[in-house]
Amino acid sequence: MTKKEKNGAHCSFCGRPEEAVEKLISGPESYICDKCVRLCIEIVDKKPIHHELKILKPKEIKASLDAYVIGQERAKKTISVAVYNHYKRIRSLQKESEIEYSKSNVLLLGPTGSGKTLIARTLANILDVPFAIADATTLTEAGYVGEDVENIILRLVQAADYDIARAEQGIIYVDEIDKVRKTTGNVSITRDVSGEGVQQALLKIVEGTIANVPPKGGRKHPNQEYIRVNTQNILFIVGGAFVHLEKIIAKRLGKSTIGFDVGEARVFDTNEINYLLSKVEPEDLIQFGMIPEFVGRFNSIANCNELTIQDLVDILIKPKNAIIKQYQYLFAEENVSLKFTDDGLRAMAEKAKKTGTGARALRMIVESLLLELMFDIPSDPTIKEIIVDEECITSQKKPKVIRLQTS
C-alpha cells in the first residue's frame, strides 16, 4: 500500500479528498478530480472562466448595509465608497484602462461588539463574492510555530469552492489586528513574532502579490505543491478595538486644542471616545504600535462608534435578521405568539451594555431568558402567548404565559 493510499486519496491539484468529489482519476504518482479536469479543459480551449462583477453604487451598498447594521452611519458611508472604488478599479483593469486606480483596503476601528465583522460579512453577501475571516492573533511570520499568513488566502479559496478566479475578487476580513502591534521599547535580540513580524508578513499579500498557498493548509515545506493566487484584486478589511487609542489622539489634539484634559488618568465617556476616534490619523495608529508600511496599505479608515442603549434596542428589533424576529418566528412555528414590552427591550439593552461586549451579549440574554420556554412549549399545546417585560430582566421573573381557554 502506497503512502497516498494509506492516508486517503486526494486530488494533487486542489487537495480535495476522494469523498468530496464525483470522480478521482488515478495516475502513477498522483490524482486529479473531475472539477480540476473541467478547469483544465477550459484553459486548454482558451475559454477562461469570467466572473461578472456585481458593482453597486455607494448609496446602494449603504442601503443594503442599513438593512442589517444599526448605526455606524459614517463607517458605512466610508466603506461603501471604498468598496465601490475597489471593484470599479478591478473592472478598469479587466478593460485594460490607461488609468490605474490604487487599491482601497479598509481599516475598521471600534470597540468589541460594535459591528465591524458584521459590516464585512454583510458586504460579501451584498456583492456575492467569496468571504473569509481570520484572527490576527493566530498568525505568525514564516518560520515560527503558528499559522502562516498564506492560510488566510486558502480560506478564501475554499469559500470560492477552489475557483481561483472567483477567489481573486473576494473579501478577506482580519480581526484583532490591534493585537499584533509592535512591542514598544523591546530591546531583545529575538524577533517580535506576534507583533511587528506578523504585520511585515501581511504587507505583501495586502498590497498585491502572487501568493503560494498550500492546498491543504498548514506549514510550508520543500517539494510541496502550491496553489498560486494573485491577491492584487482581493479586498482586505482589517478591524480591531484599539483600546486606549483615544488617549493618543487626545494627546495629539491637546497640543492645539484648548479644553482637552489629556492626563494619563483621564477616563473618557462614550461620546468623547466616539469623537476622538473620528479624528484618527495614520500617525496615531503608528504611535499605537502599527508599522508605517502597514498603515500605508489602508487608505480608508472607518470608525465604528460604541453602541448606545437605543442602538442596542434597535438591533434587537429592526434588522432583517433581528434577534427578536428570529425567536418570534421559532415560537410561531409552535403556534405561540412571543411579545416583548418596550421596557423589557430597554432592560435587555441596558444589561447588554453593562457586559462591555456590545451587541454580542444580546443573543445570550434572550437565549437564557427563553430557554425553559423553548424546552416546554413543543410538548405543551395549551400555551398561546408569551409576554416578556422589564421584571423578567431586572428581577429574573419568569415571562408571563397565556394559555388557551379549555372547557
Side-chain angles (χ1 to χ4, degrees):
M1 180 180 289
T2 66
K3 185 178 179 181
K4 284 198 173 188
E5 288 172 334
K6 183 177 178 181
N7 295 331
H10 289 73
C11 176
S12 302
F13 292 84
C14 68
R16 290 187 182 92
E18 185 174 11
E19 59 270 16
V21 299
E22 292 181 12
K23 289 185 179 180
L24 193 65
I25 303 166
S26 174
E29 293 292 334
S30 61
Y31 298 89
I32 185 169
C33 70
D34 57 296
K35 293 186 178 183
C36 287
V37 169
R38 292 192 190 99
L39 184 59
C40 290
I41 292 172
E42 292 277 359
I43 296 171
V44 171
D45 289 345
K46 296 183 180 180
K47 294 177 182 178
I49 299 172
H50 179 68
H51 298 280
E52 190 66 32
L53 276 174
K54 183 181 178 182
I55 300 181
L56 299 176
K57 295 175 183 177
K59 285 189 177 181
E60 294 173 328
I61 295 173
K62 184 180 178 297
S64 298
L65 287 172
D66 287 341
Y68 296 94
V69 182
I70 297 298
Q72 315 304 359
E73 294 300 307
R74 184 69 180 175
K76 287 187 288 191
K77 283 184 179 180
T78 302
I79 204 165
S80 295
V81 171
V83 168
Y84 175 71
N85 288 338
H86 175 77
Y87 284 103
K88 192 166 66 171
R89 168 183 172 273
I90 295 177
R91 187 169 60 182
S92 71
L93 290 173
Q94 291 175 343
K95 293 180 179 180
E96 297 182 353
S97 172
E98 294 180 0
I99 299 175
E100 290 188 9
Y101 297 95
S102 59
K103 194 176 179 186
S104 298
N105 295 308
V106 182
L107 188 150
L108 291 175
L109 53 94
T112 181
S114 59
K116 300 186 295 293
T117 307
L118 178 61
I119 288 175
R121 190 186 297 278
T122 305
L123 267 178
N125 291 335
I126 293 167
L127 301 168
D128 190 27
V129 294
F131 177 68
I133 295 180
D135 190 325
T137 59
T138 66
L139 303 174
T140 61
E141 59 181 311
Y144 292 89
V145 176
E147 187 177 12
D148 280 350
V149 294
E150 284 83 0
N151 284 332
I152 301 175
I153 309 297
L154 175 61
R155 293 179 195 174
L156 189 67
V157 171
Q158 290 170 338
D161 197 23
Y162 287 87
D163 185 337
I164 305 302
R166 190 161 180 261
E168 288 178 341
Q169 296 178 355
I171 296 175
I172 290 177
Y173 177 70
V174 183
D175 201 8
E176 307 282 7
I177 198 67
D178 56 314
K179 302 300 190 297
V180 293
R181 66 176 177 173
K182 181 172 59 177
T183 305
T184 56
N186 181 15
V187 295
S188 171
I189 60 172
T190 59
R191 298 295 300 274
D192 181 16
V193 298
S194 64
E196 182 178 357
V198 176
Q199 294 183 57
Q200 295 282 2
L202 283 168
L203 278 178
K204 280 295 181 184
I205 65 169
V206 168
E207 184 177 27
T209 188
I210 305 296
N212 292 317
V213 181
K216 299 174 188 177
R219 309 296 297 179
K220 289 184 176 181
H221 57 78
N223 304 319
Q224 185 178 17
E225 296 168 343
Y226 296 108
I227 300 171
R228 292 173 64 81
V229 180
N230 188 344
T231 68
Q232 183 183 20
N233 295 330
I234 295 173
L235 176 62
F236 284 86
I237 303 173
V238 300
F242 290 90
V243 178
H244 300 316
L245 177 63
E246 69 276 3
K247 292 186 177 181
I248 295 173
I249 300 169
K251 190 173 182 180
R252 172 175 59 82
L253 292 176
K255 294 175 182 178
S256 58
T257 306
I258 298 173
F260 265 116
D261 175 12
V262 293
E264 290 295 324
R266 171 71 190 276
V267 177
F268 298 101
D269 63 27
T270 298
N271 291 331
E272 287 175 323
I273 291 174
N274 291 341
Y275 170 77
L276 288 167
L277 292 180
S278 72
K279 301 296 182 182
V280 67
E281 295 287 347
E283 63 187 87
D284 301 318
L285 297 169
I286 295 168
Q287 181 71 24
F288 183 83
M290 311 305 290
I291 62 175
E293 300 91 335
F294 188 81
V295 174
R297 300 299 191 275
F298 296 87
N299 50 6
S300 291
I301 301 176
N303 168 40
C304 289
N305 292 332
E306 185 175 344
L307 296 171
T308 64
I309 298 294
Q310 187 57 50
D311 287 335
L312 293 169
V313 172
D314 290 342
I315 287 169
L316 282 169
I317 57 176
K318 285 189 175 181
K320 281 188 176 180
N321 59 345
I323 301 167
I324 296 300
K325 290 179 182 177
Q326 293 178 34
Y327 283 97
Q328 285 175 331
Y329 181 81
L330 288 172
F331 277 62
E333 287 189 320
E334 304 290 343
N335 298 314
V336 176
S337 174
L338 176 62
K339 295 181 180 179
F340 291 81
T341 67
D342 291 342
D343 289 341
L345 292 170
R346 187 168 184 83
M348 280 191 285
E350 290 173 349
K351 186 174 181 179
K353 180 79 171 176
K354 290 177 182 176
T355 66
T357 57
R360 287 193 175 92
L362 292 173
R363 180 171 290 276
M364 180 188 68
I365 292 169
V366 178
E367 182 82 23
S368 176
L369 180 68
L370 301 176
L371 178 62
E372 293 295 331
L373 288 168
M374 288 189 289
F375 181 79
D376 293 333
I377 284 174
S379 302
D380 191 345
T382 67
I383 298 177
K384 176 185 176 182
E385 188 176 8
I386 304 295
I387 300 175
V388 179
D389 58 20
E390 182 180 6
E391 289 186 342
C392 297
I393 313 301
T394 58
S395 305
Q396 284 76 50
K397 178 184 172 184
K398 289 185 179 181
K400 185 178 180 181
V401 177
I402 300 175
R403 299 182 181 274
L404 293 168
Q405 295 292 335
T406 55
S407 54

